[in-house]
Amino acid sequence: MTIGAKELKKKYIEFFKKQKHSEIPSASLIPENDPTVLFTTAGMHPLVPFLLGQSHPKGKRIVDVQKCIRTTDIDSVGDDFHLTFFEMLGNWSLGDYFKKEAITWSFEFLTKELKIPIEKIAVTCFAGDANASQDLEAAKIWKSLGIPDERIFFLPKTDNWWGPAGETGPCGPDTEMFYFVGTSQEQKKDPGPGTKGTKYVEIWNDVFMQYNKTKQGKFELLKQQNVDTGMGVERTTAVLQGKKSVYELEEFQRIILKIREFSKIAKPSTKQIISERIITDHIRASTFILGDDKKLIPSNVERGYVLRRILRRAIRHGMELGIKENFCSEIAKIIVEIYKPEYPELDRNKRFIFDELDKEEIRFKETLTKGIHEFERIIKQKISQKQGPQIISGNEAFLLFQSYGFPLEMTKELAAEKGFTVNTDEYEKDFEKHQELSRTATIGKFASGLADTSEMSTKYHTATHLLHKALQVVLGPEAKQRGSNITPERMRFDFSWQAKMTSEQIKKAEDLVNEKIKQGLTVKKEEMSLEQAKKQGAMHLFGEKYPDKVSVYTIYDPKTKKEFSKEICTGPHVKNTSELGHFKIQKEESSSAGVRRIKAVLE
Ligand code: ATP
Ligand code: MG
């Protein structure tokens, strides 16, 4: 039986709808109000609040297909089954069914719907460690369904444990399903899933989310037991069709064919095949990132930097194939054609996608010429100095990266041609420092929600602290900040709360903020350890990753010393609340499920 990606998705959704799951649309690739990851890496991401106990408007059983980006897999791209961008099917139990149903349905879907012979399937279960016990329960269920002991493998946390996606959040043991892609002769001698040289390919993962990992690294039992599953669309389609890699799938072949029109290479070498794969994957991922309605563009920090890196890597591999002209947007055109029926945002944003690709390609080629100049200057200088071994220092390689966008492997290749090597250890250190800096910048941005530091924005920023506390006084401590966005004209404040606020509650919160402004409270900044801040009860953002040393802003009455608000925050803030003027809530509305949004101004 041959089954395409579209059919697989349809079958999956229908199967779980039959088991009373509600379908939800794919969320954005760029997570909403969640600074723990740069991109949505799995279907569970947009569901984190619900896995933590908030009730989902669509009920306790959810099914979807989610767009994912995994930057951790960038280095694996070029192999047969790892992509940077892929689609993930998933079904969830939000405090509803658990292991028995999840495993039974997985088994049924694989063997009855997809008609995979049971002999081709192997599964793995969690072997247990100091934090959690061996998952004998899952193994027993598999066995009862007909998977024999010799194809049930127990593996440690590195394999059979999922999450959290960021530093903190829901996680738990998992059971993974594998499809054997070799012959039955080979299967007899196979070392088994998770071992080097195996021909078992992981296609599906059922995660049993029982724990929440805290910032202190503790595993707390969750209020509810959840199931979170993920099945890769491209990978599963490829193995079902008996393909050796995802790149043999029809849609990938169309992209590769277009690349060959540019490279004019009919019979690529192994090295050239890898270049083709990297270009295919990276431009596909870039197209989906640029096609997201959030309109992210290539830059030198955070998400924009990931986009720049994969795009430049694709361009460089284009050069390796001897492509002279700009080609990225032409490849993207095919990709938009293929995926637009299912992802209309690609069609909606196609001009933006193509323009940004063109711009980045032109930009990279410009700096590339300058960079090559700089590179040659470095080499000449070293040769004239005739010092010992011919080494390009890590600093020099890093400069080439930072100023001219040279990826390390490119510098290494260019160096090798001149008989030089690169001090990669030193480079990595510089690179980490750079990442750390931009990470800190990211934390600052998320924590403050500040787009700029003008006087008005600073005032709004202090107003968010007053509002946050006021909401907790009026509604209760569950009303927690989930995000904020500030411009010099207005503020937006998102917080967790189930119901629409009554006009009375809105008035109370507004009045309380204005009362605190009138009282002329002092805003004090202190530096302290994260631990100390938490001990003092400073409020902090859900899921936020903070550095060890933080700033804490306290708003208090200078006469009575009574504190009104205390928050971990990067600032900046006004010195006294009397500077704020009059606070007015203009709107209270739903932001997303379980999250309300307030728009307010200072008059
Ligand atoms: P692997 O060990 O092969 O990298 P994983 O353990 O990282 O997989 P999960 O996090 O469990 O995978 O994701 C669930 C499913 O998503 C996998 O079973 C697989 O089908 C798919 N998947 C994961 N990573 C990728 C990827 N980089 N490209 C394509 N599909 C993927
Ligand atoms: Mg992986």
Side-chain angles (χ1 to χ4, degrees), residues 75-327:
D75 290 335
S76 307
V77 170
D79 75 4
D80 295 332
F81 294 111
H82 282 95
L83 296 160
T84 314
F85 169 86
F86 64 99
E87 296 177 88
M88 191 188 282
L89 287 159
N91 58 285
W92 283 271
S93 156
L94 304 170
D96 189 26
Y97 60 85
F98 206 46
K99 295 185 188 178
K100 175 105 195 292
E101 296 87 337
I103 293 176
T104 308
W105 287 332
S106 288
F107 181 81
E108 258 182 49
F109 185 72
L110 293 175
T111 56
K112 300 217 175 80
E113 295 292 323
L114 300 182
K115 303 197 169 57
I116 300 178
I118 207 169
E119 305 76 55
K120 289 219 165 230
I121 301 170
V123 300
T124 58
C125 300
F126 179 51
D129 69 3
N131 290 313
S133 54
Q134 183 179 21
D135 200 351
L136 292 170
E137 192 189 344
K140 210 170 134 197
I141 301 167
W142 283 118
K143 214 176 152 184
S144 75
L145 293 165
I147 306 279
D149 278 332
E150 64 264 28
R151 290 205 308 281
I152 301 176
F153 297 80
F154 287 96
L155 296 177
K157 211 167 212 162
T158 41
D159 297 277
N160 282 86
W161 186 273
W162 206 93
E167 199 91 321
T168 59
C171 55
D174 66 45
T175 180
E176 300 183 354
M177 291 146 267
F178 292 74
Y179 183 96
F180 195 77
V181 297
T183 63
S184 52
Q185 266 329 80
E186 286 171 327
Q187 196 172 7
K188 280 184 202 128
K189 286 179 255 151
D190 196 89
T195 310
K196 220 174 160 222
T198 180
K199 287 203 167 182
Y200 279 107
V201 176
E202 181 198 326
I203 54 172
W204 200 357
N205 188 354
D206 289 357
V207 185
F208 306 115
M209 288 189 168
Q210 300 163 267
Y211 302 96
N212 179 40
K213 186 175 178 200
T214 66
K215 274 176 213 157
Q216 289 75 32
K218 277 214 253 38
F219 292 85
E220 290 171 348
L221 269 183
L222 282 175
K223 269 199 284 208
Q224 62 186 37
Q225 292 187 323
N226 308 295
V227 175
D228 152 38
T229 92
M231 172 189 262
V233 171
E234 297 84 345
R235 195 186 279 189
T236 305
T237 314
V239 298
L240 287 176
Q241 290 186 10
K243 307 285 196 207
K244 287 199 186 62
S245 85
V246 289
Y247 300 95
E248 288 182 13
L249 290 169
E250 191 204 321
E251 48 274 39
F252 284 78
Q253 280 297 308
R254 276 177 70 186
I255 304 170
I256 290 174
L257 231 65
K258 189 76 196 172
I259 298 170
R260 287 187 188 167
E261 267 177 40
F262 280 96
S263 72
K264 304 188 182 65
I265 297 171
K267 288 213 170 68
S269 66
T270 311
K271 189 165 169 256
Q272 287 168 332
I273 287 173
I274 290 181
S275 288
E276 287 179 349
R277 288 181 172 192
I278 289 172
I279 295 169
T280 303
D281 171 81
H282 286 12
I283 297 190
R284 186 168 167 268
S286 302
T287 302
F288 272 91
I289 294 174
L290 287 165
D292 204 283
D293 287 322
K294 296 255 171 82
K295 299 269 168 82
L296 188 79
I297 56 169
S299 75
N300 267 347
V301 286
E302 306 163 27
R303 300 183 171 116
Y305 176 57
V306 172
L307 177 57
R308 170 160 287 169
R309 236 175 94 199
I310 55 176
L311 204 43
R312 291 190 172 188
R313 187 153 179 243
I315 297 167
R316 193 175 69 81
H317 280 274
M319 290 171 175
E320 298 271 306
L321 296 180
I323 300 174
K324 295 268 183 310
E325 59 270 66
N326 291 346
F327 68 104

Side-chain angles (χ1 to χ4, degrees), residues 18-81:
K18 260 192 271 161
Q19 324 298 344
K20 307 215 164 31
H21 289 63
S22 307
E23 186 184 358
I24 58 165
S26 172
S28 164
L29 272 176
I30 297 152
E32 192 80 47
N33 290 328
D34 183 350
T36 60
V37 291
L38 289 177
F39 291 97
T40 300
T41 61
M44 58 78 73
H45 238 280
L47 292 166
V48 168
F50 311 103
L51 293 163
L52 289 174
Q54 247 183 59
S55 79
H56 194 289
K58 292 277 217 160
K60 291 183 168 181
R61 297 183 182 190
I62 303 290
V63 61
D64 76 1
V65 37
Q66 172 65 46
K67 303 185 276 187
C68 299
I69 291 272
R70 288 206 179 167
T71 53
T72 45
D73 287 343
I74 288 178
D75 290 335
S76 307
V77 170
D79 75 4
D80 295 332
F81 294 111

Side-chain angles (χ1 to χ4, degrees), residues 499-514:
K500 184 164 176 53
M501 282 175 76
T502 63
S503 44
E504 195 178 301
Q505 289 169 331
I506 295 175
K507 173 110 188 1
K508 266 195 190 157
E510 189 181 277
D511 287 351
L512 185 53
V513 172
N514 280 318

